[in-house]
Amino acid sequence: MESLGAFLKRRRDLVTPEMAGLRTYGTTRRVPGLRREELAQLAGVSVGYYIRLEQGQAESASEQVLDALARVLRLDPIEAVHLHNLARQPGNPGLSEPPAEEPHPRVVALLESLSEAMPAIVLGRRGDVLAWNRTGHALLAEHVPFEAPQEAARRPSVPRMFFLDPFTRDLHRNWDELARVHVAYLRLTAGRFPTDALLAKLIGELTMRSAEFATLWAEGEVADCTVGTMHLRHPTVGAAGVSYQVWLQPDSPDHRLEVYTPNDPGSADALRLLAHRSAESGSGDFPQLAAEHGFAH
């Protein structure tokens, strides 16, 4: 997880005096970015008050102060939301295991209403697959049992697959780009749910088992994950380019319905073939492959 102080320090290091409109007169500086007193001055707060914020004593931080810090630190809207989330965390948040996630009936109804020609999955707050249609399953994880999302203990974890599963890495030709997005979104989620023990366990596990995840996590990027492109080398239908977009359900804002559409006629043909093959094969004969790759919980 992440503290307010660590986030402020990291972002302060990224803003040079020149970027903030300050003159340094050629003096030697011991910090790569803004000093604490410079940031405090630019945000219109006292140095002592800002130091207390970096020390995590943010109970009295007003919306106006946080907005001023976001402006000086040149945060985008999502990063500013993350700043506010961190500032609202309790001083010593204890971890607790939340109840098992279940997709809202309206989300399930929407998923079921989609044509099988349109791959789709429902993701929980930690990136667990809560449900998918057959084409969504075949597109992203055909080596996993189709029924896996039905049991909380067996649900595939997209972050785990992305960093720990060779099949998923081989599937994505733009893995590096997508991996960065996954980590940035996971950090945004961690700011929203600082007491989620399962989320903390996931981040700790990936940090220990994947050097690439640990490196990206240390960079501290924060981003939402609503639209993007995946370039695939699918073992069944070959090369395909698809765009993903996320639909949010007001009744369960933590859950995301992710829908995939083809980027070109060849990819559209590939998705039609995949839909046809997945309909013919039913749930598929994938349990042995899933066991071999071993990324279920």
Side-chain angles (χ1 to χ4, degrees), residues 40-232:
Q41 176 186 359
L42 291 168
V45 299
S46 71
V47 177
Y49 181 81
Y50 176 75
I51 290 175
R52 290 195 296 275
L53 291 182
E54 278 205 4
Q55 292 173 343
Q57 304 171 26
E59 294 82 358
S60 61
S62 68
E63 299 291 314
Q64 292 78 8
V65 167
L66 295 174
D67 289 341
L69 291 172
R71 172 182 52 80
V72 177
L73 294 173
R74 306 168 74 92
L75 304 185
D76 65 27
I78 298 301
E79 293 165 340
V81 167
H82 186 62
L83 171 66
H84 281 259
N85 288 339
L86 294 177
R88 297 295 170 250
Q89 291 180 4
N92 293 297
L95 296 177
S96 60
E97 186 167 323
E101 294 184 275
E102 297 298 335
H104 194 281
R106 290 194 182 92
V107 177
V108 175
L110 183 56
L111 174 66
E112 292 176 347
S113 72
L114 296 174
S115 164
E116 280 293 349
M118 182 177 291
I121 64 175
V122 179
L123 296 170
R125 68 161 72 160
R126 294 176 292 274
D128 292 339
V129 178
L130 305 184
W132 47 22
N133 61 11
R134 292 197 178 276
T135 315
H137 162 252
L139 180 69
L140 299 178
E142 66 177 11
H143 59 311
V144 179
F146 176 74
E147 300 84 2
Q150 297 175 15
E151 299 179 31
R154 298 177 61 210
R155 284 173 177 160
S157 163
V158 171
R160 282 189 178 93
M161 287 193 295
F162 231 81
F163 287 94
L164 304 179
D165 173 42
F167 177 96
T168 301
R169 180 184 287 268
D170 292 342
L171 176 67
H172 294 89
R173 288 183 290 153
N174 60 332
W175 185 91
D176 291 341
E177 171 191 350
L178 296 173
R180 184 173 293 276
V181 171
H182 276 290
V183 175
Y185 180 71
L186 201 59
R187 183 177 292 278
L188 178 66
T189 304
R192 294 178 59 202
F193 303 104
T195 64
D196 187 329
L198 296 179
L199 180 58
K201 178 182 177 182
L202 171 65
I203 293 169
E205 176 189 352
L206 293 177
T207 301
M208 292 297 294
R209 298 181 61 188
S210 169
E212 289 155 313
F213 179 90
T215 298
L216 291 172
W217 185 260
E219 292 180 6
E221 291 188 15
V222 183
D224 205 347
C225 180
T226 54
V227 294
T229 300
M230 300 191 309
H231 302 293
L232 307 177

